[in-house]
Amino acid sequence: MGDIYRARDKQTGATVAIKMLRQRPDATARARFRREAEVLAELRHPGVVGYVEHGTWSDGRAFLAMEWLEGEDLLARTRREPLGMKQSVEVVRRAAAALAACHSRGVVHRDLKPANLWLVAGKTLAVKVIDFGVVKPAGADDFETERGAIIGTPHYLAPEQVRGERVTPRADVYSLGAVLFRLVTGRVIFPTEHVVALLGQLVNDDPPAASSVRLDVPEGLDVVISRAVSRRASERYADAGELARALARVGVVPTEPPGKEGSSSTVRRLPPAEILEDPSRTSPGVEVAREREVRVVTAVVAWTDGPEALEQARAAARAHLGPDDGIEALPGNQLVLVFGAHGSASGGDPVRAARAALALVGQAATARA
């Protein structure tokens, strides 16, 4: 929505960041910019980027002045060097404690992700939540997000955000849980860059346990992450404060980052070839993986003309779905079918997906596989 400048506050002499709304913004950008400023002015929490002032610049552009933060965001930090598991838990716990102040006021951030968690001066124990550009304030205001719109960053979206439903603090809990899953395991919950397939998995699949990706995740932490990223909002922690308290109780966790020797992390390594050829050479109690599991998932998305056409398309698609497949309506009268969402490779048979797509076309829906 705007540009960020480094500036000096003439009254205090402090260095500040000034966010300037770009020239000729549309009504949506103006409303969101004003809403961000008003929310930050009210929050005033040490774990949230500090508000200084907002108003209109001499050229008519809206501006928002905030504290200047040295350091880097969490995304940049992990690209440079991953955090250890203990550090990861503490970063998310502190971010959750800051978000608790937002949730207590009925404010939902809606776009929590590594890039919006700032490590002050590079210190992992000094965390600030930033970028409230798509924040949802308590109650109604003069700008309501269009019904059915998807707001947020795909890999950290809660399923109800994908469906375009009303968001609550539980959506932020999911996003924080997804961030923690990424930090601890070294990968996102659903590792695909295909947006349609990702949206289908978010609404149809239960997330994997972190311990299924990284073997040394303690049981207590595994339970907390699984609850935070539950596909069903009602099963998650009620708000970020409850999540922060749960993380404070997980106990001792390993210090190693993912992907390092000794961490048992991102990949379940196969035993040496000689052990695969002769399982009797394994130590007692050691299980040998004889083959790698491969899942093939095929996604079909259909755009329909309205609610009635959507229901007709849904009925036409059901005849081609199996027990391992999923179907979900998305905003904008779209329908997503995911074949092989819960089963083996045969469940993702593209032939059945193609037949379903043809059935949708027969119902006057424009289908794309």
Side-chain angles (χ1 to χ4, degrees), residues 8-21:
R8 182 174 59 85
D9 187 328
K10 290 184 177 180
Q11 293 183 345
T12 66
T15 300
V16 296
I18 297 184
K19 184 175 181 178
M20 302 282 292
L21 190 62

Side-chain angles (χ1 to χ4, degrees), residues 260-279:
K260 299 292 184 181
E261 289 298 325
S263 69
S264 304
S265 59
T266 56
V267 176
R268 287 175 176 266
R269 297 181 178 84
L270 288 173
E274 62 270 18
I275 293 182
L276 287 175
E277 293 170 2
D278 183 6

